[in-house]
Amino acid sequence: MMRNLICLLVALSAASAQPNPPALTGTHFPQLSDFPELAQLGYDFALIVVDPSQPDAWKQALDAAQSAGLKLIVGAYPLPYAYNAGNWSVSPQGQQLLAYLQSRSSLVLAVYVFNEPYGSDPYTGNVTPCGNFSAADLRALRATIQSYWPGAKINHDIGSPADWAPGGAYASVTPCVGTKYADQSNMADYVGIWYYPFLGSGDQQAAGLANLKTQVQYVLNSMKPAVPVSLNQSYACSNCIFSGYVFPTASQLYQWNCAVRSIPFGAVSWYPWRRFSSYSEALADAPALWPLTTAASCGSGMGSSVVALSAASGMPFVAPDSFVSLNGSNLAPAAQTAQVEPLPLSLSGVNLQITDSGGNLLRAALSFVSPQLINFVMPSNAAPGQAAISADNGLGTIQLGTAIVRNVAPALFSADGTGTGVAAAAALAVNGDQQTVTPVFQCSGSVCAPAPIDLSSGTVYLILYGTGIRHYQKSVLCSIAGTSQPVQSAGAQPTYDGLDQVNVGPLTGLAGKGTVKVYLIVDGYASNTLTVQFK
């Protein structure tokens, strides 16, 4: 009997010690074209707003989410909810939207209803110091929405709900709030809360974490069945408050990401993905920071000192056997370029270790090192997923970072090395037994321009140089001037480690098109878009 009791107590202790499940990761207000990149980062959801009068746009949004493998939190604007003397109604268009979302409920996490309905009027944006809609009002709205879609989950972005409760930080100094928010239960299923710590006057992360812990406990204890969602600051706005909000550095963003995830949030949403209103910078503007926003980046051996970027496109997705760049400081004692192929594992005393998502320790071959830059080739056996990077500068300093590794990460080299502008490519003209290869770019210093391709010179092929392509399993497609051109071959370029070559052609229907866009789609992943020019 005693043995059974001890076993039961041990089992209960083990169960109570289980960590909280990882918070979902998402973002506010991306464009539909951003969905593939969000999915590649491992994000779970996106919060979007649709027009209730545009059914075609609803379908387009949910189709895009389904294709990318994302869930959606869907709001409507203009707002389809009307309040009159304590009663709510939903417009006919709003009812149709709810019915449509219900019909595809497997893709919908929640209905996004109001932003800051306590401290402002959602219809006018006017500040309401004494509180706008009460908790009872919002409880009634949830019931009204659920009368059209039983079981619908409701999302409100509140901010600091504990502060509005009796005795809370705001209510205690604003008597007119009264008891409007004494009972905040059953008014929402997801509650957005936030503390934006990156101010022009300084970093306020310590104060922010203390505040968020208070808010989360209030949501979990007093707002059931609500799940707390952290809106993590990823924007700059110089005139939003007296000192302004500043865009976080890599170190700040990474530290905040991992610290917030130590609190029992149900989800983390990076706010916002794209600039709007008076925001001067947002997360979409800083691809090098994207890998630092994930849950996986907080794992063992990860850090924010270096982030792996494609050496061709500058995007934060890499593949086995692809060229990769690390930017930073104090990365090497001096600049040195590898003089041999295959590339060495150590250069100027620098060593690079990759711990892939399977826990395998791998050494990376180095092509160039300097105090500010390391170029290397991702090991061929690196497993897909988020990897940890350890960069030893040979002087006793080890810097930690991360990489997002995929089977393929197609990227094309540009002539100026920026990943934009004219392609670092060549045209192959075939006339009988004679072949002529000419560059399709011309550079003066760091400024590069297209060299026109003459399709009258014979049967012409375009030779593109890139990286992250060779391990494709299904297809390599090429679009030039919006038309599909045949891909003759795609794979490793035989001379240089990490370099891939794609031969496209014979080129047809492009004469006289002028400067046009060119990109690849490899196993469904799009490369960066570059330009070429046709006579």
Side-chain angles (χ1 to χ4, degrees):
M1 180 71 179
M2 180 61 69
R3 178 178 297 176
N4 291 340
L5 178 60
I6 291 173
C7 291
L8 176 61
L9 290 173
V10 169
L12 289 173
S13 298
S16 64
Q18 292 298 311
N20 296 311
L24 300 177
T25 302
T27 187
H28 274 55
F29 311 134
Q31 296 177 357
L32 303 191
S33 60
D34 297 321
F35 285 7
E37 288 173 338
L38 301 180
Q40 292 164 38
L41 288 168
Y43 280 24
D44 303 290
F45 71 92
L47 189 152
I48 65 168
V49 176
V50 299
D51 188 328
S53 69
Q54 301 290 329
D56 289 346
W58 315 341
K59 183 178 186 304
Q60 184 182 13
L62 271 74
D63 286 350
Q66 184 173 30
S67 177
L70 292 175
K71 303 283 189 179
L72 293 180
I73 298 175
V74 184
Y77 189 84
L79 294 168
Y81 316 107
Y83 181 77
N84 183 27
N87 296 310
W88 290 95
S89 61
V90 181
S91 71
Q93 291 176 337
Q95 294 176 37
Q96 293 170 8
L97 173 59
L98 290 173
Y100 182 74
L101 296 178
Q102 183 181 14
S103 74
R104 303 186 70 176
S105 59
S106 63
L107 295 170
V108 181
L109 277 181
V111 178
Y112 178 61
V113 183
F114 288 146
N115 178 56
E116 298 188 73
Y118 293 4
S120 65
D121 183 338
Y123 297 89
T124 66
N126 294 332
V127 175
T128 53
C130 297
N132 194 65
F133 292 122
S134 68
D137 292 333
L138 297 176
R139 198 159 32 246
L141 176 56
R142 178 172 180 261
T144 298
I145 294 172
Q146 291 180 338
S147 71
Y148 294 102
W149 176 7
K153 304 295 185 183
I154 304 303
N155 186 129
H156 293 297
D157 285 345
I158 302 293
S160 301
D163 294 2
W164 290 80
Y170 181 76
S172 62
V173 296
T174 315
C176 64
V177 171
T179 59
K180 284 183 179 178
Y181 306 103
D183 177 8
Q184 298 183 49
S185 65
N186 293 301
M187 50 168 272
D189 301 275
Y190 293 92
V191 172
I193 62 179
W194 57 86
Y195 189 102
Y196 300 147
F198 308 118
L199 308 177
S201 58
D203 186 325
Q204 301 295 320
Q205 290 191 62
L209 288 173
N211 179 277
L212 288 181
K213 290 176 182 178
T214 298
Q215 303 300 329
V216 165
Q217 288 306 311
Y218 183 82
V219 172
L220 294 175
N221 295 330
S222 302
M223 298 187 73
K224 294 178 180 178
V227 171
V229 179
S230 177
L231 274 61
N232 279 13
Q233 180 188 348
S234 56
Y235 69 90
C237 180
S238 61
N239 59 356
C240 283
I241 58 173
F242 68 94
S243 63
Y245 292 110
V246 298
F247 196 76
T249 65
S251 175
Q252 288 175 323
L253 183 134
Y254 179 69
Q255 183 179 2
W256 186 245
N257 176 42
C258 298
V260 165
R261 293 180 189 277
S262 71
I263 303 172
F265 279 104
V268 170
S269 185
W270 292 95
Y271 182 87
W273 187 258
R274 287 192 173 269
R275 284 175 282 167
F276 68 95
S277 185
S278 57
Y279 297 166
S280 60
E281 193 172 3
L283 199 52
D285 302 313
L289 300 188
W290 296 354
L292 305 178
T293 67
T294 68
S297 71
C298 300
S300 176
M302 305 280 186
S304 62
S305 295
V306 288
V307 173
L309 305 175
S310 168
S313 68
M315 294 299 286
F317 306 110
V318 300
D321 292 309
S322 70
F323 264 132
V324 184
S325 293
L326 301 178
N327 297 287
S329 60
N330 197 28
L331 297 176
Q336 186 175 353
T337 300
Q339 302 297 322
V340 296
E341 297 273 348
L343 297 172
L345 297 177
S346 182
L347 192 61
S348 194
V350 174
N351 291 276
L352 201 60
Q353 180 173 279
I354 310 294
T355 304
D356 70 13
S357 62
N360 303 301
L361 301 180
L362 310 170
R363 295 280 302 279
L366 307 174
S367 64
F368 174 80
V369 299
S370 75
Q372 293 80 34
L373 175 67
I374 296 176
N375 287 335
F376 70 97
V377 175
M378 181 62 66
S380 60
N381 54 342
Q386 193 139 3
I389 297 175
S390 175
D392 185 340
N393 71 351
L395 298 173
T397 298
I398 296 176
Q399 300 189 54
L400 302 181
T402 188
I404 295 180
V405 182
R406 301 188 320 213
N407 286 325
V408 293
L412 295 173
F413 285 99
S414 65
D416 64 5
T418 65
T420 61
V422 63
L428 168 64
V430 180
N431 280 294
D433 295 335
Q434 188 174 24
Q435 297 185 359
T436 305
V437 177
T438 57
V440 303
F441 61 93
Q442 48 193 358
C443 297
S444 176
S446 61
V447 178
C448 297
I453 301 170
D454 185 359
L455 295 183
S456 67
S457 59
T459 302
V460 179
Y461 297 82
L462 181 65
I463 303 172
L464 295 168
Y465 297 103
T467 194
I469 299 166
R470 68 183 67 182
H471 292 299
Y472 73 93
Q473 297 179 344
K474 297 179 181 178
S475 62
V476 178
L477 307 176
C478 181
S479 173
I480 303 177
T483 64
S484 180
Q485 297 290 327
V487 173
Q488 295 298 323
S489 62
Q493 198 274 349
T495 306
Y496 300 104
D497 290 353
L499 185 64
D500 294 334
Q501 179 175 323
V502 180
N503 296 333
V504 182
L507 302 178
T508 60
L510 297 171
K513 290 288 187 179
T515 301
V516 298
K517 295 178 179 179
V518 56
Y519 63 90
L520 301 176
I521 298 179
V522 180
D523 284 354
Y525 293 111
S527 74
N528 52 320
T529 299
L530 301 177
T531 60
V532 292
Q533 188 178 93
F534 292 92
K535 285 185 177 179

